[in-house]
Amino acid sequence: GHALVAALLPNADPVHKVTIIPRGMALGLTMQLPVDDKHNYSREYLEANIAVLMGGRVSEELTFERMTTGAGNDIERATAMARKMVCEWGMSELGPLAFGGDSEPVFLGRDFAQKSAYSEETAQRIDAEVSRIVQRAYEQARDILKRHRAVLDRIAADLLEKESLEGAEVYATI
């Protein structure tokens, strides 16, 4: 799912390799390599990356008709990226604002009830915006994988047979 979404989104980094050989806690890996060095990222690039992260969850729902914990790290990373888009980089419907605050660790003796840098209403708007960004990326990944279900199945079959595919093999399948 990750590889196919990455291969089909114009703002995502190109697929270099995909494997189903477990690596650490990951059940497989899609390796993407940027075309050139990047020091700052566009909103479109970040949204594409969140959609790629959602590709794993969507593909398991489409193929196995159930959810597992396998997409947990992807969901965590997607949520963190969306939160940074909203709170740090001003890349949301809330406008060009930074919603930060003290991110210092809490030590014994410090006030645990420290005031937030923004109101509860703003916190709810931030949460809603983060949710909207991730949900939109999820829907984009779902749309891509549903429209290209035959390609998803072909890539999965090739991976079961070979365990790893080079990026060129993924693109040749599309």
Side-chain angles (χ1 to χ4, degrees), residues 103-119:
S103 57
E104 296 175 22
V106 175
F107 295 102
L108 290 177
R110 274 194 57 196
D111 187 5
F112 281 89
Q114 224 173 359
K115 280 190 96 165
S116 176
Y118 43 83
S119 69

Side-chain angles (χ1 to χ4, degrees), residues 11-13 32 44-54 81:
N11 293 307
D13 287 326
Q32 295 172 262
E44 296 77 18
Y45 175 82
L46 296 169
E47 289 171 343
N49 276 292
I50 295 171
V52 170
L53 288 166
M54 293 291 104
M81 191 177 301

